[in-house]
Amino acid sequence: MKKVYIVVFAMIGVAIALILTASEDVSTYSSFAEASTTKKVKIVGQLSKDKPIEYDPAIDPNYTGFYLKDNNGEERKIALLMSKPQDFERSEQVVLTGKMKGDEFVATDILMKCPSKYKDEEIYLKSEEVVEASSS
């Protein structure tokens, strides 16, 4: 067999291994109920702003505790194993990656959807359009 064929087969094998490894991380969003039966999941929800956020960098800078309500309306305590993200309280939606440990969801990664910085400008422009339309 030629060396070129061996190299091509090796490259195909590496490509297949990379695709399989990457596909493990690509998952759909789960709920807290589904998280208790599987290992690592992604949960999307809203921060429960009526409950306290626990973050004290003097005690543990890599722990943030808070409550999250998933899309099914179930609320659970979250243990985020990292420092509190900037503008965390202003987030509209939160995506957490982690797994359940007892009644608590232990998250190792977070992705936040924050309000747009252009939202106020958009509201202002729409109000200007309404004023112009009503004056003509």
Side-chain angles (χ1 to χ4, degrees):
M1 192 186 274
K2 293 185 179 182
K3 290 182 182 182
V4 173
Y5 292 132
I6 295 173
V7 171
V8 169
F9 286 132
M11 288 175 60
I12 291 172
V14 169
I16 290 172
L18 286 173
I19 290 170
L20 290 175
T21 304
S23 70
E24 289 177 7
D25 190 39
V26 178
S27 63
T28 59
Y29 297 131
S30 300
S31 65
F32 287 122
E34 295 168 355
S36 61
T37 61
T38 59
K39 44 185 178 182
K40 196 171 189 181
V41 296
K42 291 185 180 188
I43 294 190
V44 63
Q46 291 79 31
L47 176 68
S48 296
K49 296 182 181 181
D50 58 333
K51 302 235 173 141
I53 297 173
E54 303 168 23
Y55 178 66
D56 189 356
I59 295 173
D60 188 356
N62 293 321
Y63 175 82
T64 306
F66 58 95
Y67 287 85
L68 185 86
K69 188 178 289 189
D70 69 5
N71 287 340
N72 294 342
E74 187 177 351
E75 187 175 65
R76 291 285 177 114
K77 180 161 176 42
I78 308 297
L80 177 62
L81 303 180
M82 57 191 325
S83 61
K84 184 175 86 168
Q86 185 177 357
D87 294 333
F88 181 62
E89 294 84 3
R90 296 181 51 194
S91 65
E92 291 180 355
Q93 196 172 43
V94 178
V95 178
L96 299 169
T97 304
K99 57 186 174 181
M100 292 295 293
K101 284 193 178 174
D103 288 339
E104 190 175 66
F105 186 80
V106 179
T108 55
D109 195 23
I110 186 170
L111 178 67
M112 299 183 311
K113 180 182 177 192
C114 292
S116 173
K117 64 181 180 180
Y118 303 109
K119 197 172 261 188
D120 292 335
E121 183 179 326
E122 182 181 321
I123 292 170
Y124 174 75
L125 289 174
K126 285 184 179 179
S127 67
E128 287 292 316
E129 290 173 2
V130 170
V131 170
E132 288 176 5
S134 63
S135 63
S136 26

PDB file of all heavy atoms in Angstrom, residues 39-62:
ATOM      1  N   LYS A  39     -26.127  12.770  32.791  1.00  0.00           N
ATOM      2  CA  LYS A  39     -24.899  13.266  33.384  1.00  0.00           C
ATOM      3  C   LYS A  39     -24.729  14.767  33.218  1.00  0.00           C
ATOM      4  O   LYS A  39     -25.071  15.529  34.101  1.00  0.00           O
ATOM      5  CB  LYS A  39     -23.701  12.502  32.852  1.00  0.00           C
ATOM      6  CG  LYS A  39     -23.721  12.273  31.356  1.00  0.00           C
ATOM      7  CD  LYS A  39     -22.565  11.419  30.920  1.00  0.00           C
ATOM      8  CE  LYS A  39     -22.675  11.196  29.426  1.00  0.00           C
ATOM      9  NZ  LYS A  39     -21.666  10.372  28.894  1.00  0.00           N
ATOM     10  N   LYS A  40     -24.261  15.262  32.086  1.00  0.00           N
ATOM     11  CA  LYS A  40     -24.005  16.688  31.897  1.00  0.00           C
ATOM     12  C   LYS A  40     -25.004  17.244  30.891  1.00  0.00           C
ATOM     13  O   LYS A  40     -25.159  16.696  29.804  1.00  0.00           O
ATOM     14  CB  LYS A  40     -22.576  16.875  31.382  1.00  0.00           C
ATOM     15  CG  LYS A  40     -22.054  18.260  31.500  1.00  0.00           C
ATOM     16  CD  LYS A  40     -20.571  18.297  31.167  1.00  0.00           C
ATOM     17  CE  LYS A  40     -19.997  19.636  31.490  1.00  0.00           C
ATOM     18  NZ  LYS A  40     -18.584  19.707  31.170  1.00  0.00           N
ATOM     19  N   VAL A  41     -25.695  18.326  31.271  1.00  0.00           N
ATOM     20  CA  VAL A  41     -26.744  18.895  30.426  1.00  0.00           C
ATOM     21  C   VAL A  41     -26.615  20.410  30.378  1.00  0.00           C
ATOM     22  O   VAL A  41     -25.875  21.014  31.150  1.00  0.00           O
ATOM     23  CB  VAL A  41     -28.151  18.522  30.934  1.00  0.00           C
ATOM     24  CG1 VAL A  41     -28.390  17.030  30.852  1.00  0.00           C
ATOM     25  CG2 VAL A  41     -28.377  19.023  32.333  1.00  0.00           C
ATOM     26  N   LYS A  42     -27.384  20.994  29.475  1.00  0.00           N
ATOM     27  CA  LYS A  42     -27.504  22.445  29.387  1.00  0.00           C
ATOM     28  C   LYS A  42     -28.931  22.814  29.764  1.00  0.00           C
ATOM     29  O   LYS A  42     -29.868  22.261  29.221  1.00  0.00           O
ATOM     30  CB  LYS A  42     -27.196  22.939  27.980  1.00  0.00           C
ATOM     31  CG  LYS A  42     -25.748  22.784  27.611  1.00  0.00           C
ATOM     32  CD  LYS A  42     -25.438  23.388  26.272  1.00  0.00           C
ATOM     33  CE  LYS A  42     -23.958  23.176  25.979  1.00  0.00           C
ATOM     34  NZ  LYS A  42     -23.518  23.874  24.811  1.00  0.00           N
ATOM     35  N   ILE A  43     -29.051  23.756  30.692  1.00  0.00           N
ATOM     36  CA  ILE A  43     -30.359  24.200  31.154  1.00  0.00           C
ATOM     37  C   ILE A  43     -30.492  25.678  30.867  1.00  0.00           C
ATOM     38  O   ILE A  43     -29.582  26.459  31.142  1.00  0.00           O
ATOM     39  CB  ILE A  43     -30.539  23.929  32.655  1.00  0.00           C
ATOM     40  CG1 ILE A  43     -30.560  22.434  32.876  1.00  0.00           C
ATOM     41  CG2 ILE A  43     -31.792  24.597  33.182  1.00  0.00           C
ATOM     42  CD1 ILE A  43     -30.948  21.986  34.227  1.00  0.00           C
ATOM     43  N   VAL A  44     -31.629  26.057  30.297  1.00  0.00           N
ATOM     44  CA  VAL A  44     -31.899  27.458  30.012  1.00  0.00           C
ATOM     45  C   VAL A  44     -33.032  27.919  30.927  1.00  0.00           C
ATOM     46  O   VAL A  44     -33.964  27.171  31.196  1.00  0.00           O
ATOM     47  CB  VAL A  44     -32.251  27.670  28.516  1.00  0.00           C
ATOM     48  CG1 VAL A  44     -33.504  26.937  28.139  1.00  0.00           C
ATOM     49  CG2 VAL A  44     -32.347  29.125  28.179  1.00  0.00           C
ATOM     50  N   GLY A  45     -32.890  29.147  31.427  1.00  0.00           N
ATOM     51  CA  GLY A  45     -33.918  29.669  32.314  1.00  0.00           C
ATOM     52  C   GLY A  45     -33.675  31.124  32.651  1.00  0.00           C
ATOM     53  O   GLY A  45     -32.800  31.776  32.085  1.00  0.00           O
ATOM     54  N   GLN A  46     -34.465  31.606  33.610  1.00  0.00           N
ATOM     55  CA  GLN A  46     -34.363  32.988  34.049  1.00  0.00           C
ATOM     56  C   GLN A  46     -33.920  33.016  35.507  1.00  0.00           C
ATOM     57  O   GLN A  46     -34.357  32.193  36.311  1.00  0.00           O
ATOM     58  CB  GLN A  46     -35.716  33.724  33.926  1.00  0.00           C
ATOM     59  CG  GLN A  46     -36.165  33.971  32.510  1.00  0.00           C
ATOM     60  CD  GLN A  46     -36.774  32.736  31.877  1.00  0.00           C
ATOM     61  OE1 GLN A  46     -37.360  31.919  32.552  1.00  0.00           O
ATOM     62  NE2 GLN A  46     -36.608  32.584  30.574  1.00  0.00           N
ATOM     63  N   LEU A  47     -33.090  33.984  35.811  1.00  0.00           N
ATOM     64  CA  LEU A  47     -32.625  34.201  37.168  1.00  0.00           C
ATOM     65  C   LEU A  47     -33.805  34.596  38.053  1.00  0.00           C
ATOM     66  O   LEU A  47     -34.597  35.458  37.680  1.00  0.00           O
ATOM     67  CB  LEU A  47     -31.567  35.310  37.162  1.00  0.00           C
ATOM     68  CG  LEU A  47     -31.020  35.763  38.500  1.00  0.00           C
ATOM     69  CD1 LEU A  47     -30.201  34.647  39.129  1.00  0.00           C
ATOM     70  CD2 LEU A  47     -30.162  36.996  38.305  1.00  0.00           C
ATOM     71  N   SER A  48     -33.929  33.954  39.208  1.00  0.00           N
ATOM     72  CA  SER A  48     -34.976  34.313  40.168  1.00  0.00           C
ATOM     73  C   SER A  48     -34.490  35.546  40.928  1.00  0.00           C
ATOM     74  O   SER A  48     -33.703  35.438  41.862  1.00  0.00           O
ATOM     75  CB  SER A  48     -35.248  33.166  41.136  1.00  0.00           C
ATOM     76  OG  SER A  48     -35.746  32.064  40.438  1.00  0.00           O
ATOM     77  N   LYS A  49     -34.963  36.700  40.513  1.00  0.00           N
ATOM     78  CA  LYS A  49     -34.450  37.958  41.058  1.00  0.00           C
ATOM     79  C   LYS A  49     -34.999  38.263  42.445  1.00  0.00           C
ATOM     80  O   LYS A  49     -34.485  39.137  43.123  1.00  0.00           O
ATOM     81  CB  LYS A  49     -34.742  39.097  40.090  1.00  0.00           C
ATOM     82  CG  LYS A  49     -33.999  38.896  38.779  1.00  0.00           C
ATOM     83  CD  LYS A  49     -34.191  39.999  37.800  1.00  0.00           C
ATOM     84  CE  LYS A  49     -33.406  39.657  36.542  1.00  0.00           C
ATOM     85  NZ  LYS A  49     -33.492  40.639  35.526  1.00  0.00           N
ATOM     86  N   ASP A  50     -36.025  37.525  42.877  1.00  0.00           N
ATOM     87  CA  ASP A  50     -36.567  37.747  44.213  1.00  0.00           C
ATOM     88  C   ASP A  50     -35.802  36.976  45.285  1.00  0.00           C
ATOM     89  O   ASP A  50     -36.031  37.159  46.467  1.00  0.00           O
ATOM     90  CB  ASP A  50     -38.045  37.365  44.247  1.00  0.00           C
ATOM     91  CG  ASP A  50     -38.285  35.921  43.843  1.00  0.00           C
ATOM     92  OD1 ASP A  50     -37.478  35.371  43.077  1.00  0.00           O
ATOM     93  OD2 ASP A  50     -39.301  35.342  44.283  1.00  0.00           O
ATOM     94  N   LYS A  51     -34.868  36.123  44.885  1.00  0.00           N
ATOM     95  CA  LYS A  51     -34.063  35.341  45.825  1.00  0.00           C
ATOM     96  C   LYS A  51     -32.631  35.892  45.829  1.00  0.00           C
ATOM     97  O   LYS A  51     -32.166  36.448  44.845  1.00  0.00           O
ATOM     98  CB  LYS A  51     -34.052  33.875  45.413  1.00  0.00           C
ATOM     99  CG  LYS A  51     -35.446  33.296  45.332  1.00  0.00           C
ATOM    100  CD  LYS A  51     -35.579  32.100  46.180  1.00  0.00           C
ATOM    101  CE  LYS A  51     -37.029  31.669  46.193  1.00  0.00           C
ATOM    102  NZ  LYS A  51     -37.192  30.275  46.160  1.00  0.00           N
ATOM    103  N   PRO A  52     -31.910  35.710  46.943  1.00  0.00           N
ATOM    104  CA  PRO A  52     -30.559  36.292  47.050  1.00  0.00           C
ATOM    105  C   PRO A  52     -29.529  35.588  46.171  1.00  0.00           C
ATOM    106  O   PRO A  52     -29.656  34.405  45.858  1.00  0.00           O
ATOM    107  CB  PRO A  52     -30.215  36.108  48.526  1.00  0.00           C
ATOM    108  CG  PRO A  52     -31.032  34.930  48.954  1.00  0.00           C
ATOM    109  CD  PRO A  52     -32.304  35.002  48.150  1.00  0.00           C
ATOM    110  N   ILE A  53     -28.508  36.352  45.804  1.00  0.00           N
ATOM    111  CA  ILE A  53     -27.352  35.817  45.082  1.00  0.00           C
ATOM    112  C   ILE A  53     -26.203  35.750  46.075  1.00  0.00           C
ATOM    113  O   ILE A  53     -25.866  36.741  46.711  1.00  0.00           O
ATOM    114  CB  ILE A  53     -26.981  36.712  43.884  1.00  0.00           C
ATOM    115  CG1 ILE A  53     -28.120  36.731  42.874  1.00  0.00           C
ATOM    116  CG2 ILE A  53     -25.684  36.234  43.236  1.00  0.00           C
ATOM    117  CD1 ILE A  53     -27.926  37.711  41.738  1.00  0.00           C
ATOM    118  N   GLU A  54     -25.627  34.569  46.229  1.00  0.00           N
ATOM    119  CA  GLU A  54     -24.531  34.367  47.175  1.00  0.00           C
ATOM    120  C   GLU A  54     -23.201  34.479  46.429  1.00  0.00           C
ATOM    121  O   GLU A  54     -22.891  33.643  45.591  1.00  0.00           O
ATOM    122  CB  GLU A  54     -24.621  32.985  47.813  1.00  0.00           C
ATOM    123  CG  GLU A  54     -25.914  32.701  48.523  1.00  0.00           C
ATOM    124  CD  GLU A  54     -26.037  31.231  48.873  1.00  0.00           C
ATOM    125  OE1 GLU A  54     -25.006  30.528  48.969  1.00  0.00           O
ATOM    126  OE2 GLU A  54     -27.170  30.775  49.025  1.00  0.00           O
ATOM    127  N   TYR A  55     -22.450  35.524  46.749  1.00  0.00           N
ATOM    128  CA  TYR A  55     -21.105  35.654  46.190  1.00  0.00           C
ATOM    129  C   TYR A  55     -20.263  36.474  47.148  1.00  0.00           C
ATOM    130  O   TYR A  55     -20.571  37.637  47.410  1.00  0.00           O
ATOM    131  CB  TYR A  55     -21.132  36.307  44.806  1.00  0.00           C
ATOM    132  CG  TYR A  55     -19.749  36.485  44.225  1.00  0.00           C
ATOM    133  CD1 TYR A  55     -18.979  35.385  43.892  1.00  0.00           C
ATOM    134  CD2 TYR A  55     -19.200  37.745  44.047  1.00  0.00           C
ATOM    135  CE1 TYR A  55     -17.707  35.534  43.378  1.00  0.00           C
ATOM    136  CE2 TYR A  55     -17.932  37.905  43.522  1.00  0.00           C
ATOM    137  CZ  TYR A  55     -17.186  36.798  43.195  1.00  0.00           C
ATOM    138  OH  TYR A  55     -15.917  36.942  42.692  1.00  0.00           O
ATOM    139  N   ASP A  56     -19.239  35.856  47.704  1.00  0.00           N
ATOM    140  CA  ASP A  56     -18.324  36.537  48.603  1.00  0.00           C
ATOM    141  C   ASP A  56     -16.900  36.153  48.195  1.00  0.00           C
ATOM    142  O   ASP A  56     -16.413  35.073  48.554  1.00  0.00           O
ATOM    143  CB  ASP A  56     -18.597  36.147  50.052  1.00  0.00           C
ATOM    144  CG  ASP A  56     -17.818  36.999  51.032  1.00  0.00           C
ATOM    145  OD1 ASP A  56     -17.002  37.841  50.584  1.00  0.00           O
ATOM    146  OD2 ASP A  56     -18.032  36.842  52.240  1.00  0.00           O
ATOM    147  N   PRO A  57     -16.219  37.025  47.429  1.00  0.00           N
ATOM    148  CA  PRO A  57     -14.886  36.675  46.949  1.00  0.00           C
ATOM    149  C   PRO A  57     -13.864  36.505  48.069  1.00  0.00           C
ATOM    150  O   PRO A  57     -12.844  35.846  47.867  1.00  0.00           O
ATOM    151  CB  PRO A  57     -14.511  37.833  46.024  1.00  0.00           C
ATOM    152  CG  PRO A  57     -15.437  38.931  46.357  1.00  0.00           C
ATOM    153  CD  PRO A  57     -16.657  38.318  46.950  1.00  0.00           C
ATOM    154  N   ALA A  58     -14.126  37.053  49.242  1.00  0.00           N
ATOM    155  CA  ALA A  58     -13.189  36.878  50.358  1.00  0.00           C
ATOM    156  C   ALA A  58     -13.225  35.440  50.879  1.00  0.00           C
ATOM    157  O   ALA A  58     -12.214  34.902  51.318  1.00  0.00           O
ATOM    158  CB  ALA A  58     -13.528  37.856  51.479  1.00  0.00           C
ATOM    159  N   ILE A  59     -14.399  34.812  50.818  1.00  0.00           N
ATOM    160  CA  ILE A  59     -14.532  33.431  51.290  1.00  0.00           C
ATOM    161  C   ILE A  59     -14.167  32.445  50.181  1.00  0.00           C
ATOM    162  O   ILE A  59     -13.344  31.562  50.362  1.00  0.00           O
ATOM    163  CB  ILE A  59     -15.964  33.168  51.805  1.00  0.00           C
ATOM    164  CG1 ILE A  59     -16.223  34.039  53.034  1.00  0.00           C
ATOM    165  CG2 ILE A  59     -16.168  31.701  52.127  1.00  0.00           C
ATOM    166  CD1 ILE A  59     -17.643  33.994  53.523  1.00  0.00           C
ATOM    167  N   ASP A  60     -14.817  32.570  49.021  1.00  0.00           N
ATOM    168  CA  ASP A  60     -14.545  31.685  47.877  1.00  0.00           C
ATOM    169  C   ASP A  60     -14.821  32.456  46.588  1.00  0.00           C
ATOM    170  O   ASP A  60     -15.987  32.636  46.222  1.00  0.00           O
ATOM    171  CB  ASP A  60     -15.412  30.433  47.943  1.00  0.00           C
ATOM    172  CG  ASP A  60     -15.034  29.399  46.895  1.00  0.00           C
ATOM    173  OD1 ASP A  60     -14.145  29.675  46.060  1.00  0.00           O
ATOM    174  OD2 ASP A  60     -15.632  28.312  46.900  1.00  0.00           O
ATOM    175  N   PRO A  61     -13.771  32.893  45.900  1.00  0.00           N
ATOM    176  CA  PRO A  61     -13.992  33.672  44.677  1.00  0.00           C
ATOM    177  C   PRO A  61     -14.504  32.842  43.499  1.00  0.00           C
ATOM    178  O   PRO A  61     -14.910  33.396  42.492  1.00  0.00           O
ATOM    179  CB  PRO A  61     -12.609  34.245  44.369  1.00  0.00           C
ATOM    180  CG  PRO A  61     -11.655  33.307  45.019  1.00  0.00           C
ATOM    181  CD  PRO A  61     -12.364  32.761  46.226  1.00  0.00           C
ATOM    182  N   ASN A  62     -14.503  31.527  43.633  1.00  0.00           N
ATOM    183  CA  ASN A  62     -14.962  30.652  42.548  1.00  0.00           C
ATOM    184  C   ASN A  62     -16.267  29.954  42.888  1.00  0.00           C
ATOM    185  O   ASN A  62     -16.497  28.810  42.503  1.00  0.00           O
ATOM    186  CB  ASN A  62     -13.893  29.615  42.212  1.00  0.00           C
ATOM    187  CG  ASN A  62     -12.665  30.259  41.619  1.00  0.00           C
ATOM    188  OD1 ASN A  62     -12.777  31.189  40.831  1.00  0.00           O
ATOM    189  ND2 ASN A  62     -11.503  29.790  42.021  1.00  0.00           N
TER     190      ASN A  62
END
